[in-house]
Amino acid sequence: MAELASWRDGPTKSAIVDFVARVTADGSPDFVAPEARVATFDNDGTLWCEKPMYIQLDFIVRRLAEKAAEDPSLAGQQPYQAATAGDLNWFGGAITKHYQGDDSDLKVLAGAVMALHATMTVEEHAALVSAFYAGARHPSLGRPYPTCTYAPMVELLRYLEANGFTCYIVSGGGRDFMRPITSTIYGIPPERVVGSAQGLKFEGVDGHGDLLIQPALDIFDDGPEKPVRIWSRVGRRPILAAGNTNGDDEMLQYTSGLRLLVLHDDADREFAYTAGAERALEHADKYGWTVVSMKNDWTSVFD
Amino acid sequence: MAELASWRDGPTKSAIVDFVARVTADGSPDFVAPEARVATFDNDGTLWCEKPMYIQLDFIVRRLAEKAAEDPSLAGQQPYQAATAGDLNWFGGAITKHYQGDDSDLKVLAGAVMALHATMTVEEHAALVSAFYAGARHPSLGRPYPTCTYAPMVELLRYLEANGFTCYIVSGGGRDFMRPITSTIYGIPPERVVGSAQGLKFEGVDGHGDLLIQPALDIFDDGPEKPVRIWSRVGRRPILAAGNTNGDDEMLQYTSGLRLLVLHDDADREFAYTAGAERALEHADKYGWTVVSMKNDWTSVFD
């Protein structure tokens, strides 16, 4: 039986162990049949590190710089110029301006991001993503990105599976950015990865065909869209969900059993922040969700 | 090991058995790892009977009549009037007019269909669907609808699973119309049912929430959309697919291994028709897909 070895004994670990015991014990009034033991996990900040920037943003910045290197006419334009210079402040600034009511830089960025992989096949895109994972490292932790997963959360996935649960990733991040690595780092296969995605178009030639990436967003899998995508993909309501931001609030509301909210309060071992999690934390307090303190509940953060 | 007992010995059965042997034998040059053994099946006309009308259309007509009975002000309007009178010709006529360039009746029908379950929860809708399956019978075969599945195709699902395949339904029919029955009749759980769907909206109250059906189509899972939805849901290219109409043509093109096209040529035991399958049959001939003759390849059609 998988163990929660990196979870410190205390009320959080007990809440998990007790919940799992209640839904799995034969004859328990809260028994849930194995096929309905669905658990959904946000990815960025819940299963792996999201600071100082989303791992996918690092991939995008590198890809923009590669594109500018291939086509020097782009090098003087944003966002290629900032990407080439490694000027991450420009990217952060585009978001800040957006919140100040000025969408000009965000539109420039979104257009370039949508064009980045447009008309590639999904397999060509997956190969670029795999190459990134094989080489890139976290800028401050110094670890390869595939080792930036939270050890206690990966243990939780195994613990739930050992108890008959089926675990899904339900992330605002890119579905096809996660899929090439999730089997390796989480033991979660592509069919159980739900996330944001650009449109796809089928193109057939001589009895064979491919899916080509289109330069427009098809799904933004965040906030109220998460429960919708869970139903679309799974057709069941989760009995356990874990998240860490306001983007997970509706998924947690939709979940019928144990709701876990990961609190980033460990500046020594990871990062300490609550920005973007205000509403979820308020709801955790109001509705009795289980807050997971990285500092107090986990004996180690990374493997 | 599951057997293809209702398949007559001959080239079609051999094509299936030989393909499965090639992709599963250790050391075979065509070996496919179990996790990549994905098979996708159309539903209407491939796994169960679609004549004289789609089973879902029968459900819709009954629901329209129920709605008119609840609200007599609707009884004089189309499509409620036709539904109440059991006048299926009106529904067929709406389609015929559409092909003649007159969308007026089709628009009336589509509006009523989209409104039929609007703002219900997905669970309320599932209960109505389950009640339909519990009571309704096929109009000419006289069988309960859940027994209108093709026995040889259900055997094929079990045969593939016994050989490490994972089978999905990928249908132009309603995802949430199929899900309440697929586990029972096909052994395929809701998370492996892909289909058309109305939009959904999350509504949360006091820390809990539900998904409400919206009066607009979100996904029409047919033709070139089928490979797109397969990638979105599964993240892998099928190595086996089965269909029976032009709406399955792109899914079959997208499939890398065995392509099966079910031919309805058995007026005695089921129905005989090729309307709507012209392009797929042409492609089967041109690209060497395997045509399954219901008359010649199946010893029995229904259980």
Side-chain angles (χ1 to χ4, degrees):
Chain A
M1 177 68 70
E3 292 300 335
L4 298 174
S6 308
W7 291 74
R8 195 166 279 136
D9 288 334
T12 305
K13 184 173 177 176
S14 292
I16 295 168
V17 172
D18 293 350
F19 173 75
V20 170
R22 279 198 292 121
V23 298
T24 57
D26 276 329
S28 160
D30 299 321
F31 180 79
V32 175
E35 63 270 22
R37 291 179 202 157
V38 168
T40 57
F41 289 81
D42 171 56
N43 186 37
D44 296 302
T46 299
L47 292 178
W48 74 6
C49 185
E50 65 179 349
K51 294 289 176 187
M53 63 177 159
Y54 293 123
I55 296 175
Q56 189 169 5
L57 179 58
D58 191 356
F59 171 67
I60 287 169
V61 171
R62 288 170 195 235
R63 288 281 305 134
L64 289 167
E66 280 172 27
K67 200 143 179 172
E70 286 163 19
D71 178 357
S73 75
L74 297 173
Q77 300 171 31
Q78 293 298 17
Y80 305 97
Q81 190 177 359
T84 304
D87 174 14
L88 295 175
N89 289 332
W90 184 88
F91 294 88
I95 308 290
T96 306
K97 277 189 183 177
H98 160 72
Y99 283 119
Q100 291 165 348
D102 175 4
D103 271 354
S104 54
D105 282 0
L106 192 64
K107 277 185 186 163
V108 165
L109 176 58
V113 169
M114 288 297 115
L116 205 43
H117 304 114
T119 75
M120 273 185 197
T121 67
V122 290
E123 288 87 357
E124 287 165 348
H125 174 258
L128 288 171
V129 173
S130 292
F132 167 79
Y133 286 125
R137 282 176 176 265
H138 188 281
S140 64
L141 297 171
R143 312 171 143 260
Y145 277 129
T147 68
C148 290
T149 57
Y150 304 135
M153 295 303 284
V154 176
E155 282 176 13
L156 178 56
L157 296 173
R158 293 296 85 74
Y159 179 75
L160 292 171
E161 284 171 7
N163 283 284
F165 283 69
T166 304
C167 299
Y168 290 81
I169 294 173
V170 179
S171 170
R175 178 190 69 204
D176 292 343
F177 177 72
M178 297 181 280
R179 278 176 165 169
I181 197 82
T182 55
S183 292
T184 308
I185 64 177
Y186 301 130
I188 294 187
E191 60 269 26
R192 287 196 263 121
V193 176
V194 183
S196 298
Q198 289 183 234
L200 298 174
K201 190 180 170 193
F202 177 78
E203 205 163 88
V205 179
D206 292 340
H208 297 279
D210 282 308
L211 292 170
L212 308 186
I213 296 171
Q214 301 300 298
L217 199 63
D218 180 35
I219 300 158
F220 181 49
D221 185 39
D222 201 44
E225 192 65 16
K226 284 197 178 192
V228 171
R229 303 298 304 166
I230 291 169
W231 183 266
S232 167
R233 292 283 298 272
V234 187
R236 305 186 197 262
R237 187 188 289 258
I239 66 165
L240 185 154
N244 76 304
T245 67
N246 298 337
D248 303 311
D249 187 33
E250 287 86 356
M251 174 171 75
L252 294 168
Q253 291 180 50
Y254 183 58
T255 299
S256 65
L258 187 66
R259 280 75 70 102
L260 301 174
L261 189 69
V262 175
L263 178 66
H264 293 266
D265 58 357
D266 194 335
D268 291 339
R269 297 187 299 179
E270 203 241 9
F271 296 90
Y273 58 97
T274 54
E278 301 84 354
R279 182 161 47 92
L281 283 164
E282 194 187 305
H283 281 173
D285 184 50
K286 190 168 171 187
Y287 302 127
W289 301 346
T290 301
V291 174
V292 177
S293 161
M294 295 180 76
K295 185 173 177 170
N296 301 321
D297 290 323
W298 293 354
T299 59
S300 65
V301 174
F302 302 109
D303 246 338
Chain B
M1 177 67 71
E3 292 300 333
L4 298 175
S6 308
W7 291 74
R8 196 165 279 134
D9 289 334
T12 305
K13 184 172 178 177
S14 293
I16 294 169
V17 172
D18 293 351
F19 173 75
V20 170
R22 280 198 291 119
V23 298
T24 57
D26 276 331
S28 160
D30 299 320
F31 180 79
V32 175
E35 63 269 22
R37 291 180 202 157
V38 168
T40 58
F41 289 81
D42 171 56
N43 187 37
D44 295 303
T46 300
L47 291 179
W48 73 7
C49 186
E50 65 179 349
K51 295 291 177 188
M53 62 177 160
Y54 293 124
I55 296 175
Q56 189 169 5
L57 179 57
D58 191 357
F59 171 67
I60 287 168
V61 171
R62 288 169 195 237
R63 288 281 305 133
L64 289 167
E66 279 172 28
K67 202 145 177 170
E70 286 163 19
D71 179 357
S73 75
L74 296 173
Q77 300 169 32
Q78 295 295 18
Y80 306 97
Q81 191 178 0
T84 304
D87 174 14
L88 295 175
N89 289 330
W90 185 89
F91 294 88
I95 308 290
T96 307
K97 277 189 182 174
H98 160 73
Y99 284 117
Q100 290 165 349
D102 174 3
D103 271 355
S104 54
D105 283 359
L106 192 64
K107 277 185 185 161
V108 166
L109 176 58
V113 170
M114 288 298 116
L116 205 44
H117 304 114
T119 76
M120 273 184 198
T121 67
V122 290
E123 288 88 357
E124 287 164 347
H125 174 259
L128 288 173
V129 172
S130 293
F132 167 78
Y133 287 125
R137 281 176 177 264
H138 188 282
S140 64
L141 297 171
R143 309 171 144 263
Y145 277 128
T147 66
C148 291
T149 58
Y150 304 135
M153 295 304 284
V154 176
E155 282 176 13
L156 178 57
L157 295 172
R158 294 295 87 74
Y159 179 74
L160 292 171
E161 284 170 7
N163 283 283
F165 283 68
T166 305
C167 299
Y168 291 80
I169 293 173
V170 179
S171 170
R175 178 189 69 204
D176 293 343
F177 177 73
M178 296 181 281
R179 277 175 164 170
I181 198 84
T182 55
S183 293
T184 308
I185 63 177
Y186 301 131
I188 294 188
E191 60 270 25
R192 288 196 262 122
V193 176
V194 184
S196 299
Q198 288 184 234
L200 299 174
K201 189 180 169 193
F202 177 78
E203 205 163 88
V205 179
D206 293 339
H208 297 278
D210 281 309
L211 293 169
L212 308 187
I213 296 171
Q214 301 300 297
L217 199 63
D218 181 35
I219 299 158
F220 181 49
D221 185 39
D222 201 42
E225 193 65 16
K226 285 199 177 189
V228 170
R229 303 298 306 166
I230 291 170
W231 183 265
S232 166
R233 293 282 298 273
V234 187
R236 307 186 197 261
R237 187 189 288 259
I239 65 166
L240 185 154
N244 77 303
T245 67
N246 298 337
D248 303 311
D249 187 32
E250 287 84 356
M251 174 171 77
L252 294 167
Q253 291 180 50
Y254 182 57
T255 299
S256 65
L258 187 66
R259 278 78 70 103
L260 300 174
L261 189 68
V262 175
L263 178 66
H264 293 266
D265 58 356
D266 194 334
D268 290 339
R269 298 187 300 178
E270 203 238 10
F271 296 91
Y273 58 98
T274 54
E278 302 83 354
R279 181 162 47 92
L281 283 163
E282 194 188 304
H283 281 174
D285 184 50
K286 190 168 170 186
Y287 303 129
W289 301 346
T290 300
V291 174
V292 176
S293 160
M294 294 180 76
K295 184 174 178 169
N296 301 319
D297 291 324
W298 293 355
T299 59
S300 64
V301 173
F302 301 109
D303 246 339

